[in-house]
Amino acid sequence: PMRSAAAILAALASSTVAKNSTKRYEYNIVMVGDIHDDLAAVERLRRRLRKQSRAYQMLLCTGDLTSMRHSDAAGAAKPSSVTETNAYVRRAGKVAAALNDLAPLVYFVPGALDPLGLYDADPKRKFPPGYPRNAHGVVEAVTEGLWVAGWGGSTAPFEFTKSGTRRRANETAEHGWDGAWSQYPYDEREAARRQLPWRKRLLNLPAADAAILLTHAGPDGSGTTVVTGRDADSIERPGEVRARPLHAGSPALGELLAQKKAQARVVLHVHGRAHAAAGVARVGAALVVNPGSLRYTNTYASATLAELRTFEEDGPSRPSGNRARSS
């Protein structure tokens, strides 16, 4: 039977080791995103993971559980009809429940095509054991020395003209798909303003601790946020390269990840939004992963966070200050 995440992590924290010895702890993580109601894709992934010898302790989902279309938010989005919002909340709930069967601990953030109701949840709420956790606005301890910090939503993508001027990407009709890139539920200025308390909690974590950032939009400046192919949903169609790449990352998140305190704490930044930019990059020391779209690119990612702990005496484990690192 599958053990709860709490039981697994408690077992790690209470293990007994010999005096002055070093023990390696590993946290296996599976990363998915941009599912867009595709429950069949979740089921295919479940069957694939069950064939692997590796056990995953945590699943991170980068948002767009469903596919609710929104117009651009100016400042903060206005509520849609209650009936429509509740319908999409239920659809997102079905996807979250399906993901919950893939790992004992599941975190997700809402995406640009998720309903506003997923952004209105209280970040201080308590989740029952085994329930998918909405990480939007949350900075939460997973286990001793390891945190998850989540932020949902996306701001407007941009591109550079031939003269080097930055403009909104879907101001051109060159790529018809680009009209779907809405900013929701906040524009960039409003998102940066609302992030301030969340940023403060993240940047004030203990210096020796490690944090995982889970966001829908990625950090501007990372290659995992730049769409270079003409088809923004495909990573397989050859040849059709955009003359002007589409930059789908958030400048506010890029600025956050570049800060010295963030560089000292963030070991992994997982994001979605840009389906065809799926891959791995680095922003400074932080590893950035875009697992792609489970529905459209049929991709996911996995990582192992490893931590070495040194113990000075017999008894319960006590970390020596060595930080987790991804591999």
Side-chain angles (χ1 to χ4, degrees):
M2 183 174 289
R3 300 170 62 193
S4 71
I8 292 171
L9 298 177
L12 289 173
S14 63
S15 60
T16 300
V17 293
K19 183 177 181 179
N20 294 327
S21 66
T22 299
K23 189 172 179 65
R24 177 184 172 95
Y25 294 90
E26 293 186 349
Y27 309 92
N28 295 321
I29 303 170
V30 60
M31 296 162 276
V32 301
D34 295 275
I35 299 167
H36 299 289
D37 295 301
D38 195 341
L39 293 173
V42 178
E43 174 59 21
R44 288 194 298 271
L45 178 60
R46 185 189 68 82
R47 293 197 299 266
R48 180 168 183 171
L49 295 181
R50 289 198 170 181
K51 294 178 180 178
Q52 298 181 10
S53 59
R54 174 186 295 183
Y56 292 97
Q57 286 77 47
M58 188 190 312
L59 180 142
L60 303 174
C61 177
T62 64
D64 275 0
L65 283 75
T66 185
S67 301
M68 184 177 182
R69 292 282 177 165
H70 303 287
S71 57
D72 269 349
K78 305 298 187 292
S80 302
S81 75
V82 173
T83 300
E84 183 183 24
T85 296
N86 287 344
Y88 277 98
V89 168
R90 288 192 294 271
R91 288 170 64 165
K94 289 181 180 179
V95 174
L99 293 175
N100 206 44
D101 193 36
L102 305 185
L105 182 60
V106 174
Y107 286 97
F108 70 91
V109 289
L113 296 181
D114 287 323
L116 189 60
L118 296 186
Y119 292 90
D120 292 336
D122 180 4
K124 296 181 181 179
R125 62 203 173 280
K126 301 295 184 182
F127 295 92
Y131 195 82
R133 308 169 80 79
N134 184 345
H136 177 63
V138 167
V139 178
E140 178 175 285
V142 177
T143 187
E144 185 177 9
L146 179 63
W147 302 74
V148 166
W151 192 265
S154 293
T155 52
F158 61 91
E159 64 186 9
F160 292 99
T161 66
K162 291 181 179 179
S163 63
T165 303
R166 194 171 102 166
R167 71 179 180 187
R168 175 71 182 267
N170 59 3
E171 289 176 359
T172 173
E174 183 178 352
H175 307 294
W177 193 95
D178 292 351
W181 293 88
S182 60
Q183 55 184 9
Y184 190 86
Y186 320 116
D187 60 25
E188 183 70 15
R189 179 178 295 181
E190 181 67 10
R193 185 185 71 81
R194 290 182 179 239
Q195 285 172 9
L196 291 175
W198 172 77
R199 285 174 170 234
K200 184 176 180 180
R201 295 196 299 274
L202 170 66
L203 297 177
N204 287 331
L205 292 177
D209 286 5
I212 300 171
L213 278 187
L214 174 62
T215 64
H216 183 57
D220 181 42
S222 171
T224 55
T225 67
V226 181
V227 177
T228 57
R230 186 177 295 272
D231 186 345
D233 281 335
S234 175
I235 58 174
E236 297 179 345
R237 185 174 298 175
E240 299 183 355
V241 177
R242 292 172 182 250
R244 290 182 293 278
L246 184 149
H247 297 258
S250 163
L253 290 174
E255 180 273 327
L256 169 64
L257 193 56
Q259 289 190 35
K260 186 175 181 179
K261 284 188 174 182
Q263 286 287 304
R265 291 163 175 79
V266 176
V267 294
L268 177 64
H269 186 166
V270 185
H271 73 87
R273 173 71 158 164
H275 303 171
V280 180
R282 283 194 181 273
V283 174
L287 185 69
V288 182
V289 176
N290 175 357
S293 169
L294 201 57
R295 175 169 186 163
Y296 292 109
T297 60
N298 193 31
T299 53
Y300 73 100
S302 64
T304 297
L305 294 185
E307 179 183 20
L308 296 178
R309 295 186 181 184
T310 302
F311 304 91
E312 299 176 353
E313 59 184 22
D314 293 342
S317 65
R318 301 193 307 181
S320 66
N322 294 317
R323 301 182 61 229
R325 281 293 171 188
S326 53
S327 61

PDB file of all heavy atoms in Angstrom, residues 178-197:
ATOM      1  N   ASP A 178      -1.247  32.865 -31.321  1.00  0.00           N
ATOM      2  CA  ASP A 178      -0.788  33.780 -30.282  1.00  0.00           C
ATOM      3  C   ASP A 178      -1.926  34.560 -29.634  1.00  0.00           C
ATOM      4  O   ASP A 178      -1.766  35.108 -28.542  1.00  0.00           O
ATOM      5  CB  ASP A 178       0.240  34.768 -30.844  1.00  0.00           C
ATOM      6  CG  ASP A 178       1.543  34.061 -31.218  1.00  0.00           C
ATOM      7  OD1 ASP A 178       1.673  32.872 -30.876  1.00  0.00           O
ATOM      8  OD2 ASP A 178       2.386  34.695 -31.857  1.00  0.00           O
ATOM      9  N   GLY A 179      -3.068  34.619 -30.277  1.00  0.00           N
ATOM     10  CA  GLY A 179      -4.194  35.307 -29.676  1.00  0.00           C
ATOM     11  C   GLY A 179      -4.698  34.647 -28.411  1.00  0.00           C
ATOM     12  O   GLY A 179      -5.487  35.238 -27.667  1.00  0.00           O
ATOM     13  N   ALA A 180      -4.273  33.421 -28.143  1.00  0.00           N
ATOM     14  CA  ALA A 180      -4.704  32.713 -26.938  1.00  0.00           C
ATOM     15  C   ALA A 180      -3.853  33.049 -25.720  1.00  0.00           C
ATOM     16  O   ALA A 180      -4.150  32.612 -24.618  1.00  0.00           O
ATOM     17  CB  ALA A 180      -4.662  31.202 -27.174  1.00  0.00           C
ATOM     18  N   TRP A 181      -2.797  33.837 -25.907  1.00  0.00           N
ATOM     19  CA  TRP A 181      -1.907  34.145 -24.800  1.00  0.00           C
ATOM     20  C   TRP A 181      -2.482  35.315 -23.988  1.00  0.00           C
ATOM     21  O   TRP A 181      -2.060  36.450 -24.134  1.00  0.00           O
ATOM     22  CB  TRP A 181      -0.523  34.522 -25.308  1.00  0.00           C
ATOM     23  CG  TRP A 181       0.241  33.412 -25.955  1.00  0.00           C
ATOM     24  CD1 TRP A 181       0.205  33.056 -27.262  1.00  0.00           C
ATOM     25  CD2 TRP A 181       1.164  32.526 -25.326  1.00  0.00           C
ATOM     26  NE1 TRP A 181       1.047  32.010 -27.502  1.00  0.00           N
ATOM     27  CE2 TRP A 181       1.653  31.656 -26.327  1.00  0.00           C
ATOM     28  CE3 TRP A 181       1.628  32.377 -24.013  1.00  0.00           C
ATOM     29  CZ2 TRP A 181       2.581  30.660 -26.060  1.00  0.00           C
ATOM     30  CZ3 TRP A 181       2.558  31.379 -23.754  1.00  0.00           C
ATOM     31  CH2 TRP A 181       3.021  30.536 -24.766  1.00  0.00           C
ATOM     32  N   SER A 182      -3.437  35.052 -23.145  1.00  0.00           N
ATOM     33  CA  SER A 182      -4.020  36.108 -22.322  1.00  0.00           C
ATOM     34  C   SER A 182      -3.203  36.284 -21.044  1.00  0.00           C
ATOM     35  O   SER A 182      -2.495  35.378 -20.605  1.00  0.00           O
ATOM     36  CB  SER A 182      -5.472  35.782 -21.973  1.00  0.00           C
ATOM     37  OG  SER A 182      -5.542  34.562 -21.250  1.00  0.00           O
ATOM     38  N   GLN A 183      -3.304  37.469 -20.440  1.00  0.00           N
ATOM     39  CA  GLN A 183      -2.716  37.678 -19.116  1.00  0.00           C
ATOM     40  C   GLN A 183      -3.849  37.535 -18.109  1.00  0.00           C
ATOM     41  O   GLN A 183      -4.887  38.199 -18.202  1.00  0.00           O
ATOM     42  CB  GLN A 183      -2.027  39.034 -19.012  1.00  0.00           C
ATOM     43  CG  GLN A 183      -2.884  40.237 -19.344  1.00  0.00           C
ATOM     44  CD  GLN A 183      -2.084  41.522 -19.297  1.00  0.00           C
ATOM     45  OE1 GLN A 183      -0.864  41.521 -19.183  1.00  0.00           O
ATOM     46  NE2 GLN A 183      -2.769  42.650 -19.394  1.00  0.00           N
ATOM     47  N   TYR A 184      -3.641  36.650 -17.138  1.00  0.00           N
ATOM     48  CA  TYR A 184      -4.725  36.324 -16.214  1.00  0.00           C
ATOM     49  C   TYR A 184      -4.147  35.678 -14.957  1.00  0.00           C
ATOM     50  O   TYR A 184      -3.222  34.869 -15.064  1.00  0.00           O
ATOM     51  CB  TYR A 184      -5.701  35.350 -16.891  1.00  0.00           C
ATOM     52  CG  TYR A 184      -6.970  35.129 -16.117  1.00  0.00           C
ATOM     53  CD1 TYR A 184      -8.050  35.987 -16.259  1.00  0.00           C
ATOM     54  CD2 TYR A 184      -7.076  34.076 -15.220  1.00  0.00           C
ATOM     55  CE1 TYR A 184      -9.216  35.798 -15.535  1.00  0.00           C
ATOM     56  CE2 TYR A 184      -8.239  33.871 -14.493  1.00  0.00           C
ATOM     57  CZ  TYR A 184      -9.304  34.728 -14.658  1.00  0.00           C
ATOM     58  OH  TYR A 184     -10.445  34.549 -13.933  1.00  0.00           O
ATOM     59  N   PRO A 185      -4.686  35.970 -13.783  1.00  0.00           N
ATOM     60  CA  PRO A 185      -5.745  36.923 -13.479  1.00  0.00           C
ATOM     61  C   PRO A 185      -5.215  38.332 -13.180  1.00  0.00           C
ATOM     62  O   PRO A 185      -5.988  39.190 -12.780  1.00  0.00           O
ATOM     63  CB  PRO A 185      -6.383  36.319 -12.236  1.00  0.00           C
ATOM     64  CG  PRO A 185      -5.230  35.728 -11.502  1.00  0.00           C
ATOM     65  CD  PRO A 185      -4.318  35.186 -12.588  1.00  0.00           C
ATOM     66  N   TYR A 186      -3.910  38.565 -13.391  1.00  0.00           N
ATOM     67  CA  TYR A 186      -3.318  39.882 -13.122  1.00  0.00           C
ATOM     68  C   TYR A 186      -2.433  40.285 -14.295  1.00  0.00           C
ATOM     69  O   TYR A 186      -1.837  39.438 -14.954  1.00  0.00           O
ATOM     70  CB  TYR A 186      -2.448  39.862 -11.854  1.00  0.00           C
ATOM     71  CG  TYR A 186      -2.990  39.054 -10.711  1.00  0.00           C
ATOM     72  CD1 TYR A 186      -2.310  37.918 -10.248  1.00  0.00           C
ATOM     73  CD2 TYR A 186      -4.172  39.412 -10.070  1.00  0.00           C
ATOM     74  CE1 TYR A 186      -2.800  37.164  -9.192  1.00  0.00           C
ATOM     75  CE2 TYR A 186      -4.675  38.660  -9.019  1.00  0.00           C
ATOM     76  CZ  TYR A 186      -3.986  37.533  -8.588  1.00  0.00           C
ATOM     77  OH  TYR A 186      -4.470  36.784  -7.561  1.00  0.00           O
ATOM     78  N   ASP A 187      -2.336  41.589 -14.538  1.00  0.00           N
ATOM     79  CA  ASP A 187      -1.297  42.046 -15.449  1.00  0.00           C
ATOM     80  C   ASP A 187       0.033  42.070 -14.683  1.00  0.00           C
ATOM     81  O   ASP A 187       0.073  41.801 -13.475  1.00  0.00           O
ATOM     82  CB  ASP A 187      -1.637  43.399 -16.071  1.00  0.00           C
ATOM     83  CG  ASP A 187      -1.819  44.527 -15.063  1.00  0.00           C
ATOM     84  OD1 ASP A 187      -1.255  44.443 -13.941  1.00  0.00           O
ATOM     85  OD2 ASP A 187      -2.520  45.506 -15.384  1.00  0.00           O
ATOM     86  N   GLU A 188       1.111  42.353 -15.371  1.00  0.00           N
ATOM     87  CA  GLU A 188       2.438  42.220 -14.767  1.00  0.00           C
ATOM     88  C   GLU A 188       2.606  43.122 -13.545  1.00  0.00           C
ATOM     89  O   GLU A 188       3.149  42.716 -12.514  1.00  0.00           O
ATOM     90  CB  GLU A 188       3.521  42.519 -15.805  1.00  0.00           C
ATOM     91  CG  GLU A 188       4.946  42.345 -15.300  1.00  0.00           C
ATOM     92  CD  GLU A 188       5.349  40.903 -15.047  1.00  0.00           C
ATOM     93  OE1 GLU A 188       4.642  39.989 -15.520  1.00  0.00           O
ATOM     94  OE2 GLU A 188       6.368  40.684 -14.372  1.00  0.00           O
ATOM     95  N   ARG A 189       2.148  44.359 -13.635  1.00  0.00           N
ATOM     96  CA  ARG A 189       2.301  45.282 -12.512  1.00  0.00           C
ATOM     97  C   ARG A 189       1.512  44.809 -11.298  1.00  0.00           C
ATOM     98  O   ARG A 189       2.012  44.822 -10.172  1.00  0.00           O
ATOM     99  CB  ARG A 189       1.843  46.678 -12.934  1.00  0.00           C
ATOM    100  CG  ARG A 189       1.941  47.705 -11.802  1.00  0.00           C
ATOM    101  CD  ARG A 189       1.534  49.089 -12.259  1.00  0.00           C
ATOM    102  NE  ARG A 189       2.451  49.606 -13.261  1.00  0.00           N
ATOM    103  CZ  ARG A 189       2.324  50.806 -13.813  1.00  0.00           C
ATOM    104  NH1 ARG A 189       1.316  51.594 -13.482  1.00  0.00           N
ATOM    105  NH2 ARG A 189       3.209  51.214 -14.709  1.00  0.00           N
ATOM    106  N   GLU A 190       0.279  44.356 -11.531  1.00  0.00           N
ATOM    107  CA  GLU A 190      -0.551  43.893 -10.414  1.00  0.00           C
ATOM    108  C   GLU A 190       0.002  42.598  -9.825  1.00  0.00           C
ATOM    109  O   GLU A 190      -0.009  42.400  -8.610  1.00  0.00           O
ATOM    110  CB  GLU A 190      -1.992  43.690 -10.883  1.00  0.00           C
ATOM    111  CG  GLU A 190      -2.961  43.229  -9.812  1.00  0.00           C
ATOM    112  CD  GLU A 190      -3.222  44.266  -8.734  1.00  0.00           C
ATOM    113  OE1 GLU A 190      -2.798  45.438  -8.894  1.00  0.00           O
ATOM    114  OE2 GLU A 190      -3.854  43.916  -7.717  1.00  0.00           O
ATOM    115  N   ALA A 191       0.507  41.711 -10.682  1.00  0.00           N
ATOM    116  CA  ALA A 191       1.093  40.466 -10.182  1.00  0.00           C
ATOM    117  C   ALA A 191       2.288  40.754  -9.287  1.00  0.00           C
ATOM    118  O   ALA A 191       2.432  40.174  -8.206  1.00  0.00           O
ATOM    119  CB  ALA A 191       1.505  39.573 -11.352  1.00  0.00           C
ATOM    120  N   ALA A 192       3.162  41.673  -9.726  1.00  0.00           N
ATOM    121  CA  ALA A 192       4.343  42.009  -8.928  1.00  0.00           C
ATOM    122  C   ALA A 192       3.931  42.606  -7.593  1.00  0.00           C
ATOM    123  O   ALA A 192       4.544  42.315  -6.551  1.00  0.00           O
ATOM    124  CB  ALA A 192       5.228  42.983  -9.702  1.00  0.00           C
ATOM    125  N   ARG A 193       2.885  43.417  -7.588  1.00  0.00           N
ATOM    126  CA  ARG A 193       2.424  44.026  -6.339  1.00  0.00           C
ATOM    127  C   ARG A 193       1.881  42.966  -5.382  1.00  0.00           C
ATOM    128  O   ARG A 193       2.195  42.965  -4.186  1.00  0.00           O
ATOM    129  CB  ARG A 193       1.348  45.063  -6.635  1.00  0.00           C
ATOM    130  CG  ARG A 193       0.875  45.849  -5.409  1.00  0.00           C
ATOM    131  CD  ARG A 193      -0.285  46.768  -5.738  1.00  0.00           C
ATOM    132  NE  ARG A 193      -1.517  46.034  -6.000  1.00  0.00           N
ATOM    133  CZ  ARG A 193      -2.317  45.575  -5.032  1.00  0.00           C
ATOM    134  NH1 ARG A 193      -2.007  45.768  -3.762  1.00  0.00           N
ATOM    135  NH2 ARG A 193      -3.421  44.933  -5.342  1.00  0.00           N
ATOM    136  N   ARG A 194       1.079  42.060  -5.903  1.00  0.00           N
ATOM    137  CA  ARG A 194       0.465  41.038  -5.050  1.00  0.00           C
ATOM    138  C   ARG A 194       1.480  40.013  -4.561  1.00  0.00           C
ATOM    139  O   ARG A 194       1.254  39.336  -3.567  1.00  0.00           O
ATOM    140  CB  ARG A 194      -0.667  40.342  -5.809  1.00  0.00           C
ATOM    141  CG  ARG A 194      -1.872  41.237  -6.023  1.00  0.00           C
ATOM    142  CD  ARG A 194      -2.983  40.513  -6.735  1.00  0.00           C
ATOM    143  NE  ARG A 194      -4.141  41.367  -6.909  1.00  0.00           N
ATOM    144  CZ  ARG A 194      -5.363  41.098  -6.438  1.00  0.00           C
ATOM    145  NH1 ARG A 194      -5.582  39.978  -5.763  1.00  0.00           N
ATOM    146  NH2 ARG A 194      -6.368  41.926  -6.653  1.00  0.00           N
ATOM    147  N   GLN A 195       2.580  39.876  -5.274  1.00  0.00           N
ATOM    148  CA  GLN A 195       3.604  38.909  -4.864  1.00  0.00           C
ATOM    149  C   GLN A 195       4.419  39.365  -3.658  1.00  0.00           C
ATOM    150  O   GLN A 195       5.128  38.541  -3.051  1.00  0.00           O
ATOM    151  CB  GLN A 195       4.577  38.655  -6.018  1.00  0.00           C
ATOM    152  CG  GLN A 195       4.045  37.798  -7.134  1.00  0.00           C
ATOM    153  CD  GLN A 195       4.993  37.748  -8.311  1.00  0.00           C
ATOM    154  OE1 GLN A 195       6.131  38.223  -8.228  1.00  0.00           O
ATOM    155  NE2 GLN A 195       4.546  37.185  -9.426  1.00  0.00           N
ATOM    156  N   LEU A 196       4.354  40.628  -3.285  1.00  0.00           N
ATOM    157  CA  LEU A 196       5.277  41.167  -2.280  1.00  0.00           C
ATOM    158  C   LEU A 196       5.279  40.378  -0.967  1.00  0.00           C
ATOM    159  O   LEU A 196       6.353  40.009  -0.476  1.00  0.00           O
ATOM    160  CB  LEU A 196       4.992  42.651  -2.046  1.00  0.00           C
ATOM    161  CG  LEU A 196       5.351  43.578  -3.224  1.00  0.00           C
ATOM    162  CD1 LEU A 196       4.916  45.008  -2.924  1.00  0.00           C
ATOM    163  CD2 LEU A 196       6.843  43.521  -3.522  1.00  0.00           C
ATOM    164  N   PRO A 197       4.125  40.095  -0.333  1.00  0.00           N
ATOM    165  CA  PRO A 197       4.174  39.316   0.911  1.00  0.00           C
ATOM    166  C   PRO A 197       4.711  37.909   0.700  1.00  0.00           C
ATOM    167  O   PRO A 197       5.449  37.385   1.541  1.00  0.00           O
ATOM    168  CB  PRO A 197       2.700  39.290   1.362  1.00  0.00           C
ATOM    169  CG  PRO A 197       2.055  40.436   0.653  1.00  0.00           C
ATOM    170  CD  PRO A 197       2.762  40.537  -0.664  1.00  0.00           C
TER     171      PRO A 197
END
